[in-house]
Amino acid sequence: MRNYSIKFSLVLLCLVCCRTITQAQGAYMEVKKTAVKPTGVLTSVEDTLRKQFEDKKLVWPPQEIFIRSFKYDKQLEVWVKETPKAPFKLFKTYKVCMQSGTTGPKRMQGDYQVPEGFYQINEFRPQSTYHLALGLNYPNASDRILSDSVRPGNDIYIHGNCVSVGCIAINDVQIEEVYTLAAQAKNNGQDFIPVHVYPVKFNVKKSAEYLAQTLQARPSLIEFTATLKEAFNYFEEKKQLPVILVNKKGEYVIN
């Protein structure tokens, strides 16, 4: 793991927040006002999710969730945990039915790239053109340094309708589940819902071979991708999230 001088300005992306009952109630009311599509739709989805949690011996509702997406593998994983100190457990892997761009981070508006890196859900959009949508905080602290200073791009979502021009698209049934899980976690006080987007699933042989070939052709991505892999390996080993910082150069630092 690389060590950086403390003179670097580090922006903490992963925050551990102390939550009070009042904060949890406030988060619940916020979701109720802004994050819920027609009541009947999400009520039905919640009943289905409750049964799936029961079948997998998971506690409903989730206290926290974590989302990982893999571009080459076209997968989106949702992990859940019961308490802040408990390890994450995989709830479900969804198929990403459409995405645009190639391996590598998003660096400017109109490049049609799905971002790579470490994000969080910063918007619930129940009346999306794409059925339901969860916004990612692109550009994040790293992107604001490394992406085009004038036109870095924005409006990156996980959404339904199986259409993508830089977003992570799944089908409508799937986004109803993911959206409901995110709303439930927010209701329970999780203000920071992390989303990690990777070029490949590093521990899958075919995916790793594809990445190796890509990096041979695009060596400028080697260091960036190595840092992403470091975070991936940390989670695979511990089933907890690493602390992720950003230095003055816009590089991620994994602790």
Side-chain angles (χ1 to χ4, degrees):
M1 186 178 298
R2 293 167 292 173
N3 294 318
Y4 287 74
S5 170
I6 58 173
K7 68 181 181 179
F8 281 13
S9 64
L10 298 175
V11 181
L12 186 59
L13 297 182
C14 296
L15 302 175
V16 179
C17 300
C18 295
R19 303 182 180 93
T20 64
I21 293 175
T22 301
Q23 288 173 320
Q25 290 174 337
Y28 175 81
M29 292 306 295
E30 182 181 353
V31 171
K32 278 294 184 183
K33 290 177 181 177
T34 65
V36 176
K37 197 141 172 115
T39 304
V41 172
L42 292 191
T43 298
S44 174
V45 173
E46 184 177 319
D47 290 342
T48 300
L49 286 170
R50 191 189 304 272
K51 180 63 167 60
Q52 292 180 59
F53 267 61
E54 180 182 334
D55 291 343
K56 296 184 178 184
K57 296 180 170 48
L58 298 171
V59 175
W60 177 266
Q63 296 301 303
E64 294 185 23
I65 72 168
F66 163 52
I67 297 172
R68 295 198 304 185
S69 185
F70 304 96
K71 289 166 65 172
Y72 174 76
D73 306 84
K74 294 186 178 179
Q75 292 180 355
L76 185 142
E77 297 175 346
V78 177
W79 296 73
V80 300
K81 63 161 58 180
E82 303 166 9
T83 66
K85 292 185 178 181
F88 277 102
K89 298 177 181 178
L90 180 62
F91 165 63
K92 201 168 187 178
T93 300
Y94 298 91
K95 178 178 174 57
V96 175
C97 61
M98 180 64 67
Q99 60 188 10
S100 60
T102 61
T103 300
K106 181 175 180 63
R107 289 295 180 239
M108 66 180 298
Q109 184 175 334
D111 61 6
Y112 301 108
Q113 279 288 91
V114 174
E116 291 175 16
F118 309 108
Y119 300 92
Q120 63 172 302
I121 292 172
N122 68 348
E123 181 184 359
F124 287 81
R125 183 169 285 192
Q127 303 302 331
S128 170
T129 303
Y130 304 102
H131 190 52
L132 292 164
L134 297 167
L136 303 187
N137 66 322
Y138 176 90
N140 64 16
S142 171
D143 301 320
R144 287 194 293 272
I145 296 171
L146 297 176
S147 297
D148 186 275
S149 60
V150 178
R151 301 172 66 247
N154 53 21
D155 293 337
I156 302 298
Y157 294 90
I158 299 169
H159 61 61
N161 208 25
C162 206
V163 175
S164 174
V165 287
C167 296
I168 300 170
I170 55 182
N171 69 39
D172 289 355
V173 172
Q174 293 171 332
I175 191 59
E176 287 173 4
E177 290 194 353
V178 176
Y179 189 98
T180 301
L181 288 165
Q184 283 288 348
K186 187 170 175 63
N187 289 348
N188 286 322
Q190 186 184 6
D191 293 324
F192 180 88
I193 300 177
V195 180
H196 292 185
V197 185
Y198 294 109
V200 300
K201 201 162 189 177
F202 294 100
N203 56 1
V204 173
K205 182 180 179 181
K206 179 182 177 182
S207 304
E209 290 173 348
Y210 165 81
L211 181 61
Q213 293 173 356
T214 300
L215 294 180
Q216 279 188 335
R218 301 177 63 190
S220 61
L221 294 176
I222 291 175
E223 186 174 353
F224 175 79
T225 304
T227 304
L228 299 188
K229 185 178 181 181
E230 188 179 342
F232 173 88
N233 289 341
Y234 183 102
F235 182 81
E236 285 296 297
E237 178 184 350
K238 301 178 184 296
K239 295 302 183 286
Q240 297 285 3
L241 295 170
V243 174
I244 302 169
L245 310 171
V246 174
N247 68 21
K248 282 185 176 180
K249 296 179 181 179
E251 299 166 332
Y252 292 117
V253 181
I254 311 301
N255 288 319

